[in-house]
Amino acid sequence: MTDQSTMDGWRTGGSQAHYKALVDSAAAAILVIDDQGIILDANPFTHTLLGYEQQQLIGQDVACLMPPEHRGKHGQYVENYLATGQPNVIGTGRRVNARHRDGRLIPIHLAVSEVWIDERREFIGIMSDLSALTHAQATVQHERNRLKTIIDAIGNPVFVRELGGQYALANRACLQAVGADHVSQLADAFGRALPDGMRDTLNALDHQLTVDGEPVHIDVTLRDGRTFKLAKTLIHHLAGEPYAIVTVAYDATPLLQAMQEAERANQAKSDFLSAMSHELRTPLNSVLGYAQLLLKSPTQMLADDQRQYVDHIHQSGRHLLALINDVLDLAKIEAGQTVLHLTWYPVSALINDAIQTLSPLAERQNVSLQNCLPTEQEGELYVDPTRFKQILINLLSNAVKYNHPQGRVWVDAHTHHDSLTMTVNDTGIGIADDQLDGLFEPFNRLVAEDSLIEGAGVGLAVTYQLVTQMQGEIRVASQQGKGSAFSVTFPYRAKPHSSEPLVAEASDANIRLTQPHRVLYIDQGSHQQRLVSDCFEDWPLLTLHHAHDFSLAEAMTHRLAPSLFIIHGNDLARMPAHWTCLVENKPLITLGAEGQAHCSAATPDIRLQQPVSSTALAAAIQSLLEDRE
Ligand code: ADP
């Protein structure tokens, strides 16, 4: 370390040795020239920088180190300075090019100072190499140009605003979007384009962004009606300090217009659906109802062949109704009109229900149907029970339909963390690998197209949509000629320790009656129809008759003398006054959504909530009919 006395010695003593060491070791070329521009001395670095040995330079005109265009002017600069005292580079320093011995131009910083030695004027020129700096600056400029070209090529508006409020950059799309020619016009252009108050909102958002650093997203509708989605992000200096905000905008107007179009189309589809649902189901229910009436009429009324024809009408009508229900279901799901009631529901109840529903079909097809769930699988699934049952029935009925006589269908399940995967396995015809892609496409029946097996190719499409809407997953593994396994996965929780009555009640959907009964179900077109008729498939002693209006129901009541009425809540409100006598002394169950108000002349004995569960319906029927046996 140099102490103060040494420094003073340096300055005042003017130690030659010190100065020489300093000049010789300097990383800058140092030249001494006289007032004619003749080089008097040069330090060693001059060789490093410009390629000349000291001896080669001494006595030369300094102009030899200048680029050709400046050479002639050097004498002029010196003359000018000597005459006017106005310096050009003297005492100031500037960035110039020096000429290397091999002819290359080297960017340097030149600082010239004037010294007087024994009444002689001399100049000392210090040349620092700027090659690395110039190269770095050129690289930065190149990157900058490249970035600008890229940003300009982006079709979305992009602009950068410094935290002080100055707009620093805007791409072509941004200038075009607000009708500006240059970034300097951006503030005014925004002022014209933005609606009142929006500027303040954006400023507040920018401020918020600088405080918490979290990227901001906002939709902005301009005065002319266009809507842009903006994403704002903070830009930081290398040192980490934020200094500007970059905003990338996206013109969402066409998308929003398309969405409005789609919503309008969706609405039209919904209107069409509800009209079709009524227009198709109502007459079909009439056909089925009157066909049922004819079939139940006293034997002598119809000849045997006529009875057979009516039976055909009834069978085909039922098939058509199932098909219409499937197609309307699919259309409703696709239109986003399916309302799900997700709840925790016992697994065993769900599976038993579905298996019982499918047992008659399996028996007819000579296929065994087994529930292979371990008994301890007593937990609950988070699903819409009605829709889950629909899913399971679709999978089970396919497993039975696409099977061989003496084939097997079994349901098993395994849990993994918080989910349960339930698999419907069959030993049926299987599906070829190249067919799997089309499996969930609506109306695609794969190879079954040409078979006699009933179906419309809609069940799996509905199943897939329902599973997805319930946040579940569906997978299939199949081997042609060997069989298939369809798996669905849903959230699962183990059985709660407190024994909830629902579990005990829900696991028993059996009806223990000893005599046959007719049940008349009046429902003009609610979603419960299929569920209710599915439930009755399990109860051989009960026959369900369905009427879609009160006039048909009246005829059926007189002809069939039902033991029990089930009426949908919506229809109960429309019950004609004289019906009070018809239902008098007969048990009545009503179905309705929670909180649905029933106002009618007749008072139900039991009200069941929607969606109807087979266990609740079984319990209600059992309690109302067992006393009458
Ligand atoms: P559908 O049974 O009414 O034709 P789905 O949508 O339920 O319609 O099924 C689509 C097609 O997938 C069926 O037509 C059948 O070719 C095939 N498929 C579905 N399940 C099975 C299965 N378990 N085994 C073999 N093929 C099946």
Side-chain angles (χ1 to χ4, degrees), residues 326 394-395 397-403 424 426 428-431 435 438-449 453-463 478 483-486:
D326 272 350
N394 278 343
L395 297 181
S397 69
N398 279 347
V400 171
K401 277 195 311 184
Y402 301 106
N403 216 316
V424 175
D426 68 65
I429 59 172
I431 303 160
Q435 299 273 322
L439 196 60
F440 297 106
E441 273 173 21
F443 306 105
N444 191 346
R445 297 206 65 207
L446 312 182
V447 289
E449 207 69 72
I453 303 170
E454 270 185 6
V458 184
L460 281 184
V462 171
T463 301
S478 190
S484 311
F486 284 78

Side-chain angles (χ1 to χ4, degrees), residues 550-618:
F550 282 99
S551 64
L552 175 59
E554 196 166 329
M556 286 178 148
T557 307
H558 291 306
R559 176 72 44 87
L560 307 171
S563 315
L564 177 122
F565 288 92
I566 301 177
I567 305 185
H568 194 271
N570 291 339
D571 299 298
L572 191 67
R574 288 190 279 265
M575 181 188 264
H578 69 276
W579 260 74
T580 341
C581 317
L582 280 180
V583 293
E584 211 174 24
N585 301 326
K586 292 277 170 77
L588 171 61
I589 298 175
T590 59
L591 313 178
E594 207 164 336
Q596 190 170 5
H598 298 157
C599 69
S600 149
T603 316
D605 297 292
I606 294 181
R607 285 196 172 105
L608 293 179
Q609 302 298 341
Q610 284 183 165
V612 170
S613 87
S614 55
T615 47
L617 191 56

